[in-house]
Amino acid sequence: MIYIKSAQQIEKIRKSGRLASQALDLVAENLKPGVTTGYIDKLVHDYITGNGGIPATLGYKGSRGTIPFPASCCVSINEVVVHGIPDRRQIRDGDLVSVDVTAILEGFYGDTARTFLVGEAPDVARRLTAATEESLRLAIAEVRNGARLGDIGHAIQSHVEPRGFSVVRYFVGHGVGLHFHEEPAVPHYGKKGKGPRLQSGMVFTIEPMINEGVYGIKILDDGWTAVTADGKLSAQFEHTMAVTADGADILTLS
């Protein structure tokens, strides 16, 4: 079931989305070599709870029968695609670090992610990160009332693949707002002009996960951490947005 949100509901999602994005601003200010992923998690937790929100990932059970997620955000380094669990690992100079934050405020969810380059990152990490962020921008430009879901995935795939990168298939964007994960599923690959039509009032994430090498992934024994199948780098950017008659209203701007 796809929930069409009212203008009032969209404004509440915007508040939670802004809170999540502001938490990422705080991460950007503090991310440096020597900082642990657990410290980043504490920054996010304290910021969200200190502003009246709830970190959506903390205790989240998911749908695969895994243990509840034990942290307030996901911190994924280098070959980790998504769902990296914060711990005592120290961030090093040259690391590619993706941080995914979802906040609940007044019962509504806002979901966003960014990839950061720490210090002197290698050229391939810089190119991958730039291509991933640009693919999200191009995908958002396709969002409007009456467009097709496949237009989004096509914009991402046609941008990153000619640059030698690949689109993760296992994870997709999703509806969000009243619940953490709703319909529709939003693949980051596809054919232009195919798929269901977008409708004003739909709210969903676009969150391309782009790999340096092959698009395959492996999930580690903790049941959460997803890594690239070939051990190469992965980057992710994400926004939550509402469909309007004229385009996308991005709800996760800080």
Side-chain angles (χ1 to χ4, degrees):
M1 178 179 178
I2 297 176
Y3 296 98
I4 301 300
K5 276 76 171 183
S6 67
Q8 293 79 8
Q9 289 173 326
I10 289 171
E11 288 310 307
K12 289 194 176 286
I13 298 168
R14 191 190 311 278
K15 289 181 180 179
S16 60
R18 183 180 296 120
L19 180 59
S21 190
Q22 288 170 343
L24 283 180
D25 289 346
L26 185 63
V27 170
E29 293 171 4
N30 288 273
L31 198 60
K32 58 186 178 182
V35 165
T36 68
T37 56
Y39 176 73
I40 294 301
D41 181 63
K42 187 176 187 305
L43 284 176
V44 170
H45 178 88
D46 290 351
Y47 187 82
I48 290 176
T49 58
N51 285 278
I54 300 170
T57 57
L58 184 59
Y60 181 68
K61 294 182 179 180
S63 58
R64 299 188 300 273
T66 56
I67 62 169
F69 195 81
S72 295
C73 66
C74 303
V75 184
S76 305
I77 301 177
N78 295 331
E79 76 281 0
V80 179
V81 177
V82 72
H83 301 158
I85 299 174
D87 54 20
R88 296 181 179 178
R89 177 175 177 176
Q90 288 189 341
I91 293 165
R92 300 174 301 176
D93 184 77
D95 277 345
L96 180 156
V97 183
S98 299
V99 182
D100 191 344
V101 177
T102 306
I104 310 170
L105 191 63
E106 299 177 15
F108 290 83
Y109 292 72
D111 190 1
T112 185
R114 301 178 205 165
T115 294
F116 304 95
L117 297 171
V118 181
E120 296 298 323
D123 179 66
V124 65
R126 295 183 180 280
R127 290 189 289 107
L128 174 64
T129 301
T132 305
E133 186 172 19
E134 180 68 5
S135 75
L136 174 59
R137 187 189 70 79
L138 293 170
I140 291 172
E142 296 293 330
V143 174
R144 64 184 60 83
N145 184 63
R148 298 279 188 176
L149 200 61
D151 300 346
I152 294 170
H154 178 265
I156 294 166
Q157 188 175 12
S158 62
H159 182 72
V160 302
E161 288 185 348
R163 287 160 174 78
F165 304 129
S166 62
V167 181
V168 172
R169 266 70 165 171
Y170 189 83
F171 300 106
V172 297
H174 54 88
V176 68
L178 304 177
H179 308 279
F180 199 162
H181 295 95
E182 304 172 358
E183 294 296 327
V186 183
H188 303 118
Y189 58 93
K191 295 184 178 180
K192 194 171 182 62
K194 300 293 184 179
R197 289 196 182 276
L198 305 183
Q199 182 179 345
S200 294
M202 292 172 63
V203 176
F204 52 76
T205 71
I206 303 176
E207 47 184 299
M209 287 148 271
I210 308 300
N211 290 353
E212 174 192 356
V214 300
Y215 65 74
I217 63 103
K218 298 183 292 185
I219 297 178
L220 302 186
D221 291 342
D222 61 28
W224 284 106
T225 307
V227 300
T228 56
D230 56 9
K232 294 185 177 181
L233 299 173
S234 186
Q236 180 193 21
F237 285 87
E238 175 185 17
H239 273 306
T240 296
M241 66 209 65
V243 179
T244 74
D246 301 320
D249 180 7
I250 301 173
L251 306 178
T252 41
L253 298 175
S254 63

